[in-house]
């Protein structure tokens, strides 16, 4: 164990506001998950494997092991010891509370699986465990007596969405969160398991009972279990509970305490959560703030306003997820026809929207340069006023961290002291895989770095800031005598005008051996040495760093004998591995010197991956694992580390790529929609997945196409309307067959004719008011209704794919008699522009390649005619790699995107696909003049951070001032269909606009948007 005291090396990759520095204060930890400061100055650190260590202070380099729960803890993938808390009056109240993944089913005996799983993650079997809340009695720095189990619940069939946080509230109650324990790979409502399905005993049917839509209540639906109609016992998955810390019994002022329901229902104070990994309390209130780790598209921060309210808040999972302008139905669950979701959809305002949500395809803050796609909110902490020396603007701010994006942000306070979702700032860019945030006794922010095994502190210096020491050595190893050239010129100081002095201790014996920036030194004896550099600025602040030197000794050399990098795998493949290591001093090392780590690398691009550690194999030269199921693109990485008896170690790894399969989705007749976990799209379409993977597919029904209602008949693979399909190794096609339904005969029939044009609205829904009778567009432009009662009607037009109302007048005819002539409002602005959406004409490619390339770049182009736009005439335009153009000079890109109109720049613009995009060497902006129109064609651009997410879109300018948008190669993912973009036009002063869509996935290859001057 190597501890690093205060003043140790700052985090080199961190990007912080002026005056802040990040420092490693504790290191040598094994996957730390929690940091808790005791009132008496000690620091308790929980490690994922089940060990709790206690440091007497930040200067303590030899922590004590408080407790080792590793036999009971299932340390596998996202499972482990994840929550820890101390009573506010600790150690007078001498208990440490822990929340962990218990390696056995509810009521079982650990260990059941060890730190592995006979059934790989993502398969339809899983490894059933549970969650355990316990308290451990402390005497000094050691646990005494036996673990006192307070609660054993949270059935978890699959490897993620395990337990979360345990925290003491301001009222002295204990608050505990836990995930749903469901599959992260497909829409899991309890339909899987081996040897018995539904091993978590969810109704209907209990263990072995087949779960089918619409009555299923298992899997992720455990998060909605309090609403289930036939449940005799409520599981705690996807909930936050409030309990007595001594007994774990529900408190008598809990919302449902007097409900007459089971004890778990009485414990619950919030539900409808997927994986509430971290929670905290806003100072001076009883509000609970929750970081809820999302599924494929969204991450949420949720606010429980009052945990003792009469009715607990329902946050909607798995029926809803995310926000950014409106709740989103989850594709896999929303299309399955599940009763627990349908009843929510039919009851407006029955769920609580997230306080803040961010899309995987978007930056949390535009331009924050944090990784996207991989996302996981894993830390929350409020900065209370008067606790430290941070600038006062942070008082009341909510810091939140994302492990996968390796960043920490601050949501700054707004009205009434509440964090303002519109005032989010990047705080720590390049943070080291944070999994827990806390504000320490001195008012500094601390976080646990799970991958690096460190605890880090972010300090603020209002005056002189310490320098950053940096040293290199060449060579760092070799035979004696070894002449080494050192270099400390990379050291720096953030304060302008400061100069640095250097003090080198080449053997770390406390003696200064040199004081120049780049000295040399010859080591004559053999052994391992530590060369230490201390730099001191002119204000007296100092910082140190070290570099290891090996003379006559070397680190061991590990070798992976198998598998070879050429091996490819499919889900459930049994893969064996073997390896060895040799030490220059000790020769062949025994198996006890070897450690294997199996990682899943979930990648967006070749270099943009985030890591899930699946399993460890310690002290063995060989072993085996089963290949997991996961989204594509992803691959496995097997890492072998060898450590000799002197503590010297080195690692090697092999990347193992999956076999992939192209999956085609077809409907009969064509054009009806199919839902997968990636979204809902009109067939035919294709997706690439890992061979052998399990994928939820659904054929929503009934559906209406061209005025005809179609009912689902069957899938080509014989599966139910919603089912999990196991994909083979070769290209395969799933066909959903529908039959036309007979029209209803009762009641009156009627039609709506729009503007006499015969032009259908794209994907429009027309409702007669009053009466609420609804239909969708027909190919002829008429809208046929059945079951219409007599009366006078108005017309409401709600858009599906499109957002423009094409015509301006409508007539309603019921049983042959015109009963109403009404106006239909078109989407327009107050300057006379309106928009039309329709079926796309041919995409017009550009032919002349412009110099525009790169990220956030701008290029001026010359127009072939004076283009009239909002009262001006323009001969040039400034075109952006981020999918917009402006007629106002743009010397640099404007990357702050949002809804229009807005008073801020750029204005005077046309936005066909304004998002965070990048144009690499495979991308081009092409122009052309075709039939008198001017074409600007963004060709093969990609979503920033998603090199494989590519699309074409174009703007066509006509001399009469009309503007047309076309789209091409939009795949079935929200980001490509406009889920993170602004589409529309805006006036020069930003006072008016026609916004077709904002952060709404409504774009399709089949769509044209036309803006007209009226």
């Amino acid at each position: 164990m190597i501890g690093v005291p205060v003043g140790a090396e700052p985090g080199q990759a961190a990007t912080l506001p002026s005056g802040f520095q990040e420092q490693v204060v504790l290191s040598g930890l094994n996957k730390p998950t929690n940091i808790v400061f005791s009132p008496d100055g000690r620091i308790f650190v929980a490690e994922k494997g089940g060990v709790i260590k206690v440091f007497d202070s930040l200067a303590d380099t030899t922590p004590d092991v408080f407790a080792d729960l590793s036999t009971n803890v299932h340390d596998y993938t996202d499972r482990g010891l994840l929550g820890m808390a101390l009573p506010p009056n600790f150690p007078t109240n001498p208990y440490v509370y822990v929340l962990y993944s218990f390696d056995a089913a509810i009521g079982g005996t650990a260990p059941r699986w060890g730190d592995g799983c006979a059934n790989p993650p993502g398969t339809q079997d899983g490894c059933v465990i549970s969650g355990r809340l316990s308290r451990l009695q402390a005497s000094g720095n050691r646990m005494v007596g036996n673990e006192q189990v307070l609660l054993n619940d949270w059935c978890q069939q699959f490897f993620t969405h395990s337990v979360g946080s345990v925290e003491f509230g301001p009222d002295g109650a204990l608050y505990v969160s836990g995930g749903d324990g469901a599959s992260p790979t497909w829409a899991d409502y309890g339909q899987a398991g081996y040897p018995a399905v539904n091993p978590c005993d969810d109704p209907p049917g209990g263990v072995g009972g087949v779960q089918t839509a619409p009555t299923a209540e298992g899997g992720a639906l455990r998060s909605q279990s309090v609403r289930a109609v036939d449940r005799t016992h409520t599981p705690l998955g996807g909930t936050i509970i409030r309990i007595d810390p001594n007994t774990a019994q529900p408190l008598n002022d809990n919302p449902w305490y007097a409900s007459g329901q089971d004890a778990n229902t009485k414990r619950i104070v919030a539900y409808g959560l997927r994986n509430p990994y971290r929670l905290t309390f806003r100072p001076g209130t009883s509000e609970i703030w929750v970081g809820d780790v999302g599924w494929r598209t969204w991450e949420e921060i949720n606010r429980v306003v009052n945990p003792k309210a009469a009715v607990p808040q329902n946050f909607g999972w798995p029926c809803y997820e995310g926000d950014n302008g409106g709740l989103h139905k989850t594709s896999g669950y929303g299309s399955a026809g599940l009763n627990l979701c349908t009843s929510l959809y039919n009851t407006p305002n029955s769920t609580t929207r997230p306080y803040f949500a961010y899309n995987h395809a978007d930056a949390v803050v535009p331009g924050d340069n944090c990784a996207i796609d991989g996302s996981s909110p894993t830390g929350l902490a409020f900065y209370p006023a008067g606790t430290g020396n941070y600038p006062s603007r942070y008082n009341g701010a909510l810091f939140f961290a994302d492990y996968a994006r390796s960043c920490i942000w601050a949501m700054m306070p707004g009205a009434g002291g509440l964090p303002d979702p519109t005032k989010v700032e990047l705080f720590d860019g390049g943070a080291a895989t944070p999994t827990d945030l806390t504000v320490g006794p001195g008012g500094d922010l601390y976080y646990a770095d799970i991958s690096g095994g460190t605890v880090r502190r972010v300090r603020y210096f209002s005056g002189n800031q310490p320098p950053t020491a940096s040293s290199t050595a060449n060579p760092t190893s070799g035979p004696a005598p070894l002449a080494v050239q050192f270099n400390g010129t990379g050291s720096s100081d953030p304060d302008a005008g400061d100069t640095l002095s250097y003090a080198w201790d080449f053997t770390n014996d406390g003696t200064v051996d040199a004081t120049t920036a780049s000295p040399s030194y010859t080591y004559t004896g053999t052994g391992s040495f530590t060369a230490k550099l201390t730099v001191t600025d002119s204000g007296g602040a100092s910082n140190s760093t070290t570099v290891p030197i090996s003379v006559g000794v070397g680190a061991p050399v590990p070798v992976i004998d198998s598998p070879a990098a050429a091996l490819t795998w499919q889900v459930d493949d049994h893969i064996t591995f073997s390896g060895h290591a040799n030490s220059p001093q000790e020769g062949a090392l025994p198996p006890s010197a070897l450690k294997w780590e199996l990682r899943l690398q979930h990648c967006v691009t070749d270099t943009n991956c985030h890591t899930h550690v699946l399993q460890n194999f310690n002290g063995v030269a060989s072993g085996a694992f089963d290949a997991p199921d996961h989204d594509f693109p992803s691959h496995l990485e097997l890492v072998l580390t060898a450590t000799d008896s002197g503590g010297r170690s080195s690692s090697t790894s092999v990347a193992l790529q999956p076999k992939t399969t192209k999956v085609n989705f077809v409907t009969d007749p064509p054009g009806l929609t199919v839902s997968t976990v990636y979204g809902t799209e009109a067939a035919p379409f294709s997706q690439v997945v890992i061979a052998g993977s399990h994928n939820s597919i659904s054929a929503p029904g009934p559906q209406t196409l061209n005025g005809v209602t179609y009912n689902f008949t069957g899938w080509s693979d014989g599966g139910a309307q919603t089912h999990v399909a196991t994909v083979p190794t070769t290209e395969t096609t799933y066909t959903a067959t529908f039959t036309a339904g007979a029209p209803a005969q009762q009641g009156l029939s009627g039609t709506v004719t729009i503007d006499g044009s015969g032009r259908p609205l794209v994907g429009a829904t027309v409702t007669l008011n009053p009466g609420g009778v609804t239909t969708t567009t027909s190919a002829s432009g008429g809208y046929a209704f059945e079951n219409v009662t007599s009366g006078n009607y108005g017309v409401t037009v709600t858009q599906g794919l499109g957002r423009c109302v094409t015509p301006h007048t409508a007539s309603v005819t019921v049983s042959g008699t015109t009963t109403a002539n009404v106006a239909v409002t078109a989407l327009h602005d107050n300057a006379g522009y309106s928009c039309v959406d329709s079926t796309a004409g041919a995409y017009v490619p550009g032919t002349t390649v412009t110099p525009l390339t790169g990220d956030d770049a701008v290029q001026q182009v010359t127009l072939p005619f004076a283009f009239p736009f909002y009262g001006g005439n323009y001969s040039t335009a400034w075109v952006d790699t981020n999918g917009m153009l402006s007629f106002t000079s743009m010397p640099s890109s404007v990357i702050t995107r949002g809804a229009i109109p807005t008073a801020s720049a750029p204005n005077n613009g046309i936005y066909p696909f304004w998002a965070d995009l990048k144009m690499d060497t495979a991308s081009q902006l092409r122009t052309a003049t075709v039939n008198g129109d001017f074409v600007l064609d963004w060709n093969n651009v990609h979503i920033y951070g998603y090199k494989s997410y590519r699309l074409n879109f174009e703007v066509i300018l006509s001399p009469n001032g009309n503007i047309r948008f076309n789209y091409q190669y939009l795949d079935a993912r929200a980001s490509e269909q406009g889920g993170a973009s602004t589409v529309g036009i805006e006036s020069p002063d930003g006072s008016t606009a026609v916004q077709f869509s904002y952060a709404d996935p409504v774009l399709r290859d089949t769509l044209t948007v036309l803006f007209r001057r009226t």
Side-chain angles (χ1 to χ4, degrees), residues 759-770:
R759 294 174 302 194
L761 304 183
V762 177
T765 298
V766 177
T767 303
L768 298 186
N769 303 302

Side-chain angles (χ1 to χ4, degrees), residues 296-486:
R296 297 179 183 274
T297 308
W298 293 97
E299 305 298 326
E300 298 179 358
I301 294 176
N302 294 305
R303 175 193 180 208
V304 181
V305 178
N306 179 9
K308 295 189 287 185
V311 178
Q313 291 169 251
N314 179 3
F315 291 94
W317 174 260
C319 312
Y320 289 112
E321 186 181 36
D323 195 7
N324 199 11
L327 286 170
H328 298 263
K329 295 181 182 179
T330 52
S331 177
Y333 296 94
S335 60
L338 298 159
N339 288 342
L340 282 175
C341 288
T342 301
S343 58
L344 284 184
Y345 301 151
N346 292 338
T347 310
N349 303 316
S350 57
T351 58
T352 301
R353 294 168 61 171
Y355 192 84
F356 179 74
Y358 54 97
N359 191 296
H360 290 194
D362 294 340
V364 174
V365 176
D368 62 16
N369 293 319
C370 302
I372 57 175
D373 186 53
S375 303
S376 182
T378 49
L380 294 174
F382 278 95
Y383 195 82
T387 60
N389 69 337
Y390 279 20
S392 60
R393 64 187 302 267
Y394 289 99
N395 291 343
L398 174 66
F399 291 103
F400 63 97
D402 190 302
Y403 154 80
R405 298 194 181 207
S406 289
C407 282
I408 300 172
W409 299 266
M411 189 183 299
M412 305 303 287
L418 275 170
D420 188 339
T422 68
K423 297 179 179 179
V424 178
E425 302 175 359
L426 178 66
F427 181 72
D428 189 343
T433 59
T435 55
D436 189 29
L437 292 182
T438 189
V439 175
D444 292 331
L445 186 70
Y446 292 78
Y447 72 88
D449 159 27
I450 190 170
S451 298
T454 68
V455 172
R456 295 173 179 247
R457 174 173 71 172
V458 180
R459 301 181 69 187
Y460 177 73
F461 299 88
S462 57
N464 183 46
Q465 299 179 57
T468 297
S470 176
S471 64
T472 61
N474 185 31
T476 57
S477 63
L482 182 68
V484 179
Q485 178 65 52
F486 292 93

Side-chain angles (χ1 to χ4, degrees), residues 808-821:
H808 301 285
T809 62
S811 64
V812 180
T813 303
V814 177
S815 293
T817 303
T818 299
T819 58
N821 287 298

Side-chain angles (χ1 to χ4, degrees), residues 204 221 548:
L221 291 170

